[in-house]
Amino acid sequence: MACQDCPSEIYVSRGKGLFGVVLVVAVEHEDSCPWLARYAPDGTVRATPHGVVMHNARTA
């Protein structure tokens, strides 16, 4: 989930969804990350019945 081009940090936790426990993953990219600039310059959130994955730029 982390890029090879930037020192991303990944945070994982459990949350409660409509049907029980879900996995919540937040990937925090460097502002200069090429992947984030190409695919999700404003950040992105993907939710499924099993979990949530968020990609965002690191803020100071």
Side-chain angles (χ1 to χ4, degrees):
M1 273 191 251
C3 299
Q4 293 179 352
D5 297 343
C6 84
S8 307
E9 292 187 29
I10 300 175
Y11 302 95
V12 180
S13 64
R14 290 181 183 202
K16 183 164 180 156
L18 293 174
F19 304 106
V21 176
V22 295
L23 187 62
V24 179
V25 178
V27 182
E28 190 176 82
H29 298 264
E30 284 293 325
D31 292 337
S32 60
C33 174
W35 182 90
L36 193 66
R38 259 191 315 269
Y39 298 107
D42 297 323
T44 185
V45 176
R46 170 128 172 124
T48 71
H50 305 291
V52 178
V53 177
M54 299 175 283
H55 287 271
N56 290 300
R58 182 170 295 136
T59 56

